[in-house]
Amino acid sequence: MASPPKIAIIGAGPAGLTLARLLYLSDAKVDLRLYELDGSPTSRLGQGGTLDLHTDTGLAALRKCGLWDSFRKYARYDGQELIMADKNATELAHIGGGEKAGESNRPEIDRHRLREILLESVPEECVRWGRHLREVTEDGMLRFDEREEMEGPFDLIVGADGAWSKVRERLNGLKPAYSGVSGYEMDIMEPARTCPHVEKMVGRGAYFGSSDRKFLNAQRMGNNSLKVRSWYSCPEGEAKETLDKYGKKGTLEKIMERYAGWAPEMTELLRQGDLDSLKHWTLYELPVGYRWEHKKGFTLIGDAASLATPFSGEGVNKAMKDSLELAELIEKSQDPNDDLTLDPAILSYEQLMFPRSEKLQATTMNNKQVMFGPTAPIGIMTNMLKTLAVDDSSILMKMLGTAPVVAAVYSYFWTRQQVGWAVRRFWRRT
Ligand SMILES: Cc1cc2nc3c(=O)[nH]c(=O)nc-3n(C[C@H](O)[C@H](O)[C@H](O)COP(=O)(O)OP(=O)(O)OC[C@H]3O[C@@H](n4cnc5c(N)ncnc54)[C@H](O)[C@@H]3O)c2cc1C
């Protein structure tokens, strides 16, 4: 009998861990190792914000992982509440939270909780912590920063190593490009105690403020704190340079200057942020439709395969769907009753994933352009309508995407904005 294939997964993010879990559960016998640059499960504090998982992708993967009950412990259905406002704090849309009927649920979970439940579901000895991959050789060997001797060879190396993937370097070496958007992040740790007015304004989910090609948003976390983010277009490196040059206090002043003219209740989100938690973000992306020529022994999943900006909230969902499809094909290739072998299975995964990935990248690119374009925030609403119409097969939804309906919706929101602005001016005068 042939020995089980040796598979290395690089990266213990959502993609790598989902794949490890699925292979661990599968009937396929594989010799699996997962390498992660973090020193331990707890070595990286502040594992980011909150993620909404979608039915056919992130949630489907979790169900297949057998982790539905663990997920339900931390899932926040009220976190689906969404408020969209312009810079005068005029609410343009307010979607309620709570568990919905049918397929439209997109419950939130903190990123660190997702990692925790995935990590707990794979055998401890499967993950090698503190291994920073430096190089992948043509013959399937891995070289790490921390040790002289290489590991391998592996029959398959799966790059789940995110934006700056070393496995991608072995495939075709393309590096992500700057997306044109950068920003900052801060936490408000106890909004209910320190700023109840902000707490109330944000609600249980996400509060998005958009105008003047800028974005200001707050998201509720599982511990009731708020994660506040500010996004805008600027040259590459500017956000980091500002922080290096002016320090946290000076940088906050610079950020506030960008939002001059915005309603004070919105900029309060920035004023109430814990200065210690201030960090910068510089967003990168791979070209829409990025793909590589199939190479035996290597493949990519998640951000390593299709890095995009976070402006469609799909990255983690796409990453987990990649793992789901790849695991199924690897399992099939190990089934003695099936003709499929490992390399054609990997090729099939790539052929399935590329068009799915391209569609998401194109949507995300479009969202980014609209969000930081001249028509936002109204353009964001009409863009959502058009996207829904394209994706839905019902005639009613298709009609919503037609030019007259879009124009009517645009006029409606434009009028709401003008009224909101006039009311604000009136109150300021009186
Ligand atoms: C600010 C922001 C907000 C976001 N919000 C959302 C959202 O709301 N919804 C959503 O769906 N997506 C969101 N995303 C995108 C989402 O975070 C990613 O798409 C998702 O994390 C991809 O998972 P991954 O496992 O492919 O990569 P990652 O999460 O990047 O994980 C990669 C792992 O590989 C490890 N690694 C990297 N290099 C090496 C190396 N050389 N050697 C060993 N290990 C290595 C890393 O330490 C990490 O653990 C957001 C992204 C950002 C930046």
Side-chain angles (χ1 to χ4, degrees):
M1 208 170 72
S3 54
K6 282 184 78 176
I7 299 182
I9 302 172
I10 315 299
L17 284 170
T18 304
L19 180 62
R21 167 68 178 170
L22 291 169
L23 290 179
Y24 169 65
L25 283 185
S26 85
D27 290 335
K29 288 219 167 352
V30 295
D31 178 354
L32 183 66
R33 275 170 221 183
L34 197 162
Y35 297 95
E36 165 58 44
L37 69 82
D38 285 352
S40 76
T42 52
S43 62
R44 195 183 337 174
L45 293 170
Q47 279 271 324
T50 165
L51 305 160
D52 61 315
L53 299 189
H54 307 168
T55 307
D56 296 335
T57 50
L59 294 177
L62 274 176
R63 281 185 194 276
K64 191 76 193 276
C65 285
L67 295 174
W68 187 247
D69 290 341
S70 315
F71 170 71
R72 288 283 298 194
K73 266 205 295 192
Y74 300 114
R76 285 178 285 113
Y77 285 84
D78 59 352
Q80 298 180 88
E81 184 175 359
L82 171 72
I83 298 169
M84 178 72 103
D86 70 359
K87 66 177 180 180
N88 292 310
T90 303
E91 264 189 33
L92 300 175
H94 191 157
I95 301 163
E99 197 157 353
K100 301 178 173 74
E103 300 287 279
S104 60
N105 279 306
R106 293 183 162 200
E108 296 279 341
I109 184 166
D110 288 1
R111 181 187 287 266
H112 78 98
R113 289 292 185 206
L114 180 63
R115 191 189 212 199
E116 194 178 292
I117 59 176
L118 284 166
L119 254 181
E120 279 170 3
S121 75
V122 293
E124 226 172 285
E125 63 280 7
C126 168
V127 187
R128 318 271 155 117
W129 297 97
R131 300 291 183 88
H132 189 182
L133 181 69
R134 194 194 314 161
E135 189 196 353
V136 181
T137 66
E138 188 71 28
D139 54 354
M141 301 291 290
L142 302 174
R143 189 191 300 281
F144 294 93
D145 272 353
E146 297 76 12
R147 39 191 67 217
E148 262 320 301
E149 73 277 17
M150 301 218 276
E151 294 207 25
F154 290 94
D155 299 299
L156 175 64
I157 297 173
V158 181
D161 47 347
W164 304 101
S165 171
K166 291 285 177 194
V167 185
R168 191 190 315 119
E169 276 180 20
R170 172 52 51 209
L171 281 165
N172 67 6
L174 190 81
K175 294 247 190 290
Y178 177 51
S179 69
V181 178
S182 296
Y184 295 96
E185 172 183 305
M186 274 192 292
D187 296 314
I188 306 178
M189 288 316 296
E190 292 183 77
R193 186 177 64 79
T194 56
C195 47
H197 48 302
V198 170
E199 159 92 4
K200 189 157 174 265
M201 179 178 85
V202 171
R204 297 301 308 158
Y207 184 93
F208 287 101
S210 155
S211 283
D212 309 337
R213 299 171 187 254
K214 285 187 278 275
F215 226 73
L216 184 58
N217 72 288
Q219 275 191 307
R220 179 77 56 185
M221 301 288 295
N223 63 0
N224 278 323
S225 68
L226 295 175
K227 196 157 281 296
V228 177
R229 289 190 179 124
S230 142
W231 298 113
Y232 54 87
S233 307
C234 69
E236 183 177 7
E238 193 181 285
K240 179 177 183 309
E241 281 157 24
T242 304
L243 198 53
D244 291 345
K245 188 166 168 194
Y246 298 100
K248 292 189 174 181
K249 193 157 178 287
T251 300
L252 181 59
E253 280 162 22
K254 296 271 170 210
I255 304 171
M256 295 294 292
E257 280 168 22
R258 285 187 183 269
Y259 292 89
W262 283 48
E265 57 266 47
M266 295 181 82
T267 49
E268 189 69 356
L269 288 170
L270 296 166
R271 266 189 297 274
Q272 293 292 339
D274 168 10
L275 206 53
D276 281 346
S277 65
L278 181 73
K279 63 185 250 192
H280 73 87
W281 280 104
T282 305
L283 300 177
Y284 290 84
E285 62 197 2
L286 285 166
V288 174
Y290 168 70
R291 47 191 74 194
W292 59 89
E293 212 170 294
H294 174 71
K295 199 171 200 169
K296 188 174 177 189
F298 308 93
T299 197
L300 304 175
I301 54 178
D303 277 7
S306 55
L307 180 71
T309 59
F311 302 121
S312 61
E314 291 283 359
V316 84
N317 289 285
K318 189 262 168 192
M320 293 172 79
K321 176 82 174 178
D322 290 352
S323 306
L324 187 61
E325 286 183 355
L326 180 58
E328 277 171 6
L329 282 156
I330 292 176
E331 184 171 11
K332 210 160 176 267
S333 75
Q334 300 306 301
D335 180 349
N337 301 316
D338 202 302
D339 291 340
L340 190 69
T341 53
L342 187 60
D343 188 48
I346 304 307
L347 179 61
S348 298
Y349 153 73
E350 289 165 356
Q351 285 168 342
L352 271 176
M353 186 269 290
F354 286 143
R356 180 166 53 77
S357 175
E358 181 168 355
K359 189 168 173 234
L360 274 183
Q361 286 177 303
T363 305
T364 310
M365 180 66 81
N366 178 250
N367 287 354
K368 179 187 80 175
Q369 281 157 357
V370 173
M371 284 166 75
F372 298 94
T375 61
I378 306 177
I380 300 174
M381 315 287 196
T382 48
N383 189 51
M384 279 199 282
L385 200 63
K386 285 190 246 174
T387 310
L388 282 175
V390 169
D391 287 348
D392 204 292
S393 53
S394 78
I395 294 179
L396 183 68
M397 286 306 292
K398 293 268 172 240
M399 274 174 63
L400 287 181
T402 57
V405 178
V406 170
V409 170
Y410 196 98
S411 310
Y412 166 75
F413 283 119
W414 185 85
T415 310
R416 257 182 99 145
Q417 259 197 309
Q418 303 312 307
V419 172
W421 179 68
V423 170
R424 173 165 287 277
R425 246 183 9 159
F426 174 77
W427 281 116
R428 252 197 236 143
R429 278 205 197 134
T430 51

